[in-house]
Amino acid sequence: MLRINDILDKAQAYLPAEELEMIQKAYIYSATVHQGQVRLSGEPYLTHPMEVAGMLVDMKMDSATIISGLLHDTIEDTLTTREQIEQEFGKDVAFLVGGLTKLSRISFGSQEERQAENFRKMILAMSADIRILLVRLADRIHNMRTLQYQKPDRREYIARETMDVYAPLANRLGINWMKMELEDLAFQYISPEAYQELDTRVAKSQESRNRYTEEVKGIIFRELEKVSIRGEVEGRAKHLYGIYKKMHEQRINFDEVYDVIAFRIILESDIDKTCYEALSIVHALWKPVPGRFKDYIAMPKANNYQSLHTAVIGPYGERVEIQIRTRSMHEWAEKGIAAHWRYKEGRAFQDHEDNQIKKLREALEIQQEIKNPKEFMSNLKLALFPEEVYVFTPHGDVKSFPKGATPVDFAYSIHTDVGHQCTGAKVNRSIVPLRYQLQNGDQVEIITQAGHHPSKDWLKFVVTSRAISKIRNWVNAEEKNSSLTLGKDLLEKEFRRNNLKFSTYLKSDEIRKVLSEYSLQTLDDLISQVGYGRISAKQVVNHFLAAEAPKEPEAPPDKAKKKSAAPSLGISLTGIDDVMVKFAKCCNPIPGDEIAGYISRGRGIVVHTQKCPHLQRLDAERIVDVNWDVREKHAYPVHIKVVCTDRKGVITEVSSAISSFDVNISSARVETTDMIANLMFVIDVYDTQQLNAIFSAIRQLKIVHSIERISKG
Ligand code: MN
């Protein structure tokens, strides 16, 4: 069993004494809380966190990571809480262990392969800090090394998950040894027979392979020496899963897999050019196999792997695969991102290292800039897919959504009808509000009810374009319907008030004249225009009154007049032309506010802010969608209240801050109560943007406690 002193011995080579103490403290803590627990192997539970920490110290991780390795199962498997960990070991460690706990609660199991990529992304997204992922991978390696103690059905389940999810993640981070070990361990349980057979064959051929390897190594080494290129030549059997995959993909037998041995030239020099020189030596020695040369130095792989690959016809006419790279490329190829997790206090990253990290981060879609190595080491956040969240369907499929998506977005992603009929949602088996924002790893279930309809309010919180357009279509159709009903209602009433009957005029010549007057096609158009409040019922009736009795009709508003009506307010409202518009006095909307229109009887549309309490009390049937469409700037009155310390000259101080924006103050009022002054202003502003700028300027004033927009002074 690994001992704490083994870990500390390795750690003291690169960590300061006080951090070693913290590691020791974490060891004691872990031993205490896991006391009495045993692994399926019969060993004390503590062996597991110790092995995980051992791998992390071998990778020369920072102390917070090693401590998190020791504590990674404490929240999940003991009574320990995150708060306790924070108290004992600080925020950083608590953050890592908390993240590991969340990760341990999701499992992919034996989902279909097509889901694997989404699942990998989910894990990346949940590993808010790359160190969480590294501990998770070490955890998985130890669990795989001891998988034989699991029940057979669990073995295959865990092995599949390892093969489909964790090995590719290790690969993505460029940590080759982890990827190979995870693959071989998983392979052993997924295809035990193939694994055994391959294992036996590789073992059997070992002696002759060794002889052959030494021979080829010697030839290459001597040729390099002749031109004074210094380096090391390695030759070793590929990992079993790698051989197996090759046999499968290329449909060849074991005997045909010539490159069971991979040769590798690792050059002392750190100059790329030397690699190409070594390559030309190899190609002069043996004939290259056409089409097998790959230049991953000029074109690194996505995980930033760099190397030259070639295949040649070797001394016995066999195919030999050779990789050529510098020492630092090799370091990266083996350890990936972990290679750079070093305490390099006092020394800046060398340019090429910096570049490598940059490229890796790009590959991982990390957006932030690295400013210094310390920041990189202690603070590297894997903001991998900052704009996406990954959630489970009830069947365990993973779906991705833009950040901020809600259960309604989820419902529409399944089917339009599921969206329309969605009445509620459960997340992780508890009911949530429809505007709940989905979190990574949530399991989402939609509750539907036949005949249920979408609500216009949903448009305020859905984020996917699919949900938005589906809801909008429904709402538009619905509004058209209700405007027809409303218009018909208004017309019938207005006709009745004038002792006429609307229905008798439906097919009359007069009505056709009215239609052409307003350039409308059908009667329905006219009715819905009335319903939308664009034409008043009175205007329509007047046509018929004029026909009945030659009385001076209220002139139908002619184009010129109508056009001048709206612009007098300095705005027009999209979707509604030529209609009388007024601003509600209760809430005084200004451009930038979310607004709604209310069709008043005969007074056109009154615009309220959507938050206005008055609007809530009005007849919902008559509320229509309106939007700002500011073509020329106008100033609008806004009531504001500033709370500040009562002192001489406060009103001057605040008003001059306002006036510095060249804004008119149309009224100012002060109320004082012990030491506090409430200043009420009415100011004329262009829009919310300007208002916000004024607000932040006022907030800067030392005397100001708070500032708010109020509905009326
Ligand atoms: Mn564990």
Side-chain angles (χ1 to χ4, degrees):
M1 176 185 162
L2 194 63
R3 289 163 187 284
I4 187 61
N5 282 341
D6 304 331
I7 292 174
L8 293 173
D9 278 352
K10 286 177 184 166
Q12 58 98 14
Y14 69 98
L15 290 177
E18 66 269 20
E19 294 187 19
L20 300 182
E21 266 167 42
M22 282 304 265
I23 294 174
Q24 180 137 26
K25 183 179 164 188
Y27 161 73
I28 293 165
Y29 191 96
S30 185
T32 311
V33 297
H34 284 300
Q35 186 149 46
Q37 296 179 344
V38 282
R39 303 259 301 163
L40 289 172
S41 63
E43 288 179 297
Y45 195 87
L46 186 63
T47 53
H48 170 63
M50 289 289 282
E51 289 291 336
V52 171
M55 273 180 252
L56 297 168
V57 80
D58 283 336
M59 290 160 82
K60 296 204 167 58
M61 300 298 296
D62 67 355
S63 61
T65 313
I66 297 166
I67 291 169
S68 304
L70 287 167
L71 302 176
H72 78 270
D73 281 329
T74 55
I75 296 181
E76 187 68 4
D77 296 339
T78 77
L79 296 174
T80 306
T81 63
R82 192 181 153 156
E83 289 68 37
Q84 286 166 344
I85 292 192
E86 181 164 341
Q87 216 163 29
E88 299 288 328
F89 302 99
K91 271 208 163 80
D92 201 19
V93 171
F95 174 73
L96 299 179
V97 177
L100 283 155
T101 308
K102 271 188 227 147
L103 263 190
S104 71
R105 287 177 187 157
I106 64 166
S107 79
F108 175 70
S110 36
Q111 281 293 318
E112 287 168 57
E113 172 63 22
R114 71 184 166 83
Q115 278 288 313
E117 177 58 19
N118 272 341
F119 197 80
R120 289 191 288 266
K121 282 186 182 172
M122 180 193 267
I123 289 178
L124 282 167
M126 286 179 77
S127 305
D129 185 308
I130 199 167
R131 292 173 297 177
I132 293 173
L133 189 52
L134 292 169
V135 179
R136 180 65 174 162
L137 287 169
D139 177 37
R140 179 52 58 115
I141 284 187
H142 186 244
N143 285 334
M144 286 303 292
R145 285 177 185 166
T146 52
L147 196 62
Q148 74 264 34
Y149 301 108
Q150 283 282 357
K151 286 189 219 115
D153 59 323
R154 286 288 297 160
R155 275 182 222 163
E156 184 168 345
Y157 181 93
I158 295 169
R160 274 256 163 252
E161 184 176 275
T162 301
M163 187 64 99
D164 293 342
V165 177
Y166 288 97
L169 281 176
N171 182 45
R172 200 174 286 188
L173 297 180
I175 310 170
N176 195 39
W177 72 267
M178 276 190 160
K179 174 201 160 207
M180 292 198 306
E181 182 165 353
L182 288 171
E183 280 181 351
D184 270 358
L185 286 164
F187 175 38
Q188 191 177 338
Y189 292 97
I190 293 168
S191 317
E193 280 155 32
Y195 178 89
Q196 279 313 326
E197 195 193 329
L198 212 51
D199 192 38
T200 314
R201 281 181 178 232
V202 171
K204 242 190 213 162
S205 55
Q206 186 165 5
E207 206 180 307
S208 62
R209 203 174 55 240
N210 282 351
R211 243 181 291 124
Y212 169 78
T213 306
E214 286 310 312
E215 185 184 344
V216 173
K217 271 165 67 176
I219 299 171
I220 296 174
F221 190 79
R222 280 191 298 277
E223 286 301 309
L224 291 177
E225 234 182 5
K226 279 185 200 161
V227 290
S228 317
I229 295 179
R230 273 210 295 274
E232 199 184 313
V233 185
E234 281 182 352
R236 58 175 65 158
K238 285 193 167 163
H239 74 306
L240 293 182
Y241 185 68
I243 300 170
Y244 175 77
K245 225 167 80 178
K246 193 152 219 163
M247 287 165 62
H248 254 251
E249 276 166 9
Q250 302 178 7
R251 295 174 191 283
I252 48 178
N253 302 322
F254 179 75
D255 304 316
E256 293 171 278
V257 187
Y258 298 104
D259 42 7
V260 168
I261 308 165
F263 287 92
R264 191 176 285 158
I265 303 171
I266 301 157
L267 300 164
E268 297 273 289
S269 158
D270 230 359
I271 303 160
D272 293 357
K273 210 180 87 191
T274 322
C275 297
Y276 296 98
E277 283 164 14
L279 177 78
S280 68
I281 304 287
V282 170
H283 281 179
L285 193 57
W286 295 303
K287 203 171 148 60
V289 179
R292 295 303 306 273
F293 171 65
K294 290 201 184 83
D295 186 348
Y296 293 118
I297 292 179
M299 303 272 284
K301 286 191 187 179
N303 65 10
N304 204 31
Y305 171 90
Q306 283 191 298
S307 220
L308 297 178
H309 287 191
T310 187
V312 295
I313 305 299
Y316 300 99
E318 79 292 10
R319 199 146 75 165
V320 183
E321 298 231 332
I322 301 172
Q323 304 170 349
I324 302 168
R325 57 206 187 207
T326 66
R327 176 70 52 199
S328 66
M329 289 174 194
H330 181 60
E331 171 111 325
W332 184 271
E334 287 300 304
K335 299 176 187 165
I337 192 150
H340 291 269
W341 215 281
R342 298 287 162 79
Y343 266 76
K344 285 172 180 166
E345 234 48 85
R347 111 168 160 74
F349 268 130
Q350 287 168 8
D351 272 356
H352 74 273
E353 277 180 315
D354 212 11
N355 256 339
Q356 276 184 321
I357 293 160
K358 234 185 238 162
K359 274 188 250 157
L360 180 71
R361 290 174 73 114
E362 276 162 20
L364 291 170
E365 299 174 41
I366 305 172
Q367 306 301 330
Q368 303 119 297
E369 275 296 308
I370 326 152
K371 288 188 198 87
N372 62 54
K374 204 165 174 192
E375 181 192 3
F376 172 70
M377 284 182 289
S378 62
N379 213 9
L380 180 60
K381 297 268 187 267
L382 254 193
L384 284 165
F385 304 95
E387 303 308 327
E388 282 178 70
V389 293
Y390 297 88
V391 299
F392 288 107
T393 68
H395 303 298
D397 280 358
V398 179
K399 277 178 170 276
S400 73
F401 290 93
K403 206 157 209 158
T406 62
V408 176
D409 293 290
F410 183 95
Y412 277 102
S413 80
I414 297 171
H415 193 277
T416 306
D417 288 340
V418 177
H420 282 353
Q421 300 180 2
C422 161
T423 57
K426 284 183 184 177
V427 165
N428 306 327
R429 296 195 186 79
S430 320
I431 300 271
V432 294
L434 287 178
R435 56 173 66 233
Y436 168 87
Q437 297 199 346
L438 301 175
Q439 305 294 315
N440 274 312
D442 278 350
Q443 193 190 45
V444 188
E445 196 184 322
I446 297 300
I447 304 163
T448 58
Q449 197 189 318
H452 187 80
H453 301 306
S455 154
K456 198 172 164 183
D457 284 345
W458 293 358
L459 288 170
K460 291 180 196 151
F461 55 77
V462 295
V463 299
T464 53
S465 50
R466 184 179 163 84
I468 291 169
S469 77
K470 296 287 179 192
I471 298 168
R472 205 168 264 161
N473 284 346
W474 196 89
V475 167
N476 286 346
E478 192 58 22
E479 265 175 8
K480 178 122 204 244
N481 271 337
S482 67
S483 74
L484 276 174
T485 317
L486 177 65
K488 194 158 170 260
D489 189 39
L490 291 172
L491 284 165
E492 277 170 354
K493 275 185 197 147
E494 193 59 31
F495 272 72
R496 226 180 297 132
R497 226 165 51 81
N498 290 283
N499 298 318
L500 299 172
K501 212 169 165 210
F502 181 51
S503 56
T504 57
Y505 293 97
L506 293 182
K507 286 182 179 154
S508 63
D509 282 343
E510 288 95 326
I511 203 98
R512 235 164 276 135
K513 265 197 250 163
V514 177
L515 289 179
S516 73
E517 185 111 29
Y518 291 106
S519 321
L520 296 170
Q521 299 294 320
T522 67
L523 184 61
D524 274 0
D525 289 344
L526 178 67
I527 295 173
S528 65
Q529 290 296 306
V530 174
Y532 278 126
R534 290 167 198 164
I535 300 170
S536 79
K538 201 164 179 234
Q539 286 168 359
V540 179
V541 172
N542 281 341
H543 286 275
F544 298 94
L545 289 176
E548 294 287 309
K551 174 180 119 193
E552 186 66 19
E554 193 176 306
D558 64 82
K559 291 265 149 104
K561 197 173 162 194
K562 276 182 288 167
K563 268 212 172 113
S564 68
S568 73
L569 282 157
I571 67 151
S572 69
L573 298 164
T574 49
I576 300 178
D577 301 316
D578 306 335
V579 67
M580 238 201 323
V581 174
K582 279 183 189 156
F583 290 107
K585 288 275 190 305
C586 45
C587 51
N588 289 305
I590 59 172
D593 283 331
E594 285 190 321
I595 47 172
Y598 176 72
I599 307 170
S600 67
R601 306 224 176 205
R603 289 189 300 126
I605 291 187
V606 182
V607 178
H608 292 259
T609 65
Q610 284 192 6
K611 284 186 199 132
C612 178
H614 283 277
L615 183 72
Q616 316 302 325
R617 286 197 288 273
L618 294 171
D619 182 6
E621 290 282 314
R622 300 173 139 268
I623 293 170
V624 289
D625 242 348
V626 288
N627 292 297
W628 292 104
D629 181 11
V630 184
R631 286 180 202 158
E632 46 179 309
K633 278 199 162 186
H634 269 256
Y636 302 82
V638 168
H639 297 255
I640 63 172
K641 178 176 160 188
V642 184
V643 180
C644 50
T645 313
D646 188 16
R647 213 173 64 190
K648 220 178 143 193
V650 283
I651 196 156
T652 326
E653 205 171 335
V654 176
S655 351
S656 66
I658 297 172
S659 304
S660 70
F661 285 85
D662 208 5
V663 157
N664 179 47
I665 301 173
S666 51
S667 132
R669 201 151 58 77
V670 198
E671 279 169 18
T672 53
T673 45
D674 51 24
M675 311 299 290
I676 297 294
N678 292 318
L679 314 182
M680 258 73 67
F681 292 97
V682 180
I683 58 176
D684 300 333
V685 298
Y686 290 125
D687 51 26
T688 49
Q689 204 183 345
Q690 188 185 31
L691 186 63
N692 290 339
I694 295 170
F695 271 25
S696 58
I698 293 177
R699 274 196 202 98
Q700 307 263 310
L701 302 175
K702 280 209 182 85
I703 46 158
V704 170
H705 301 305
S706 69
I707 176 164
E708 62 177 327
R709 186 168 159 193
I710 51 176
S711 54
K712 205 159 185 189

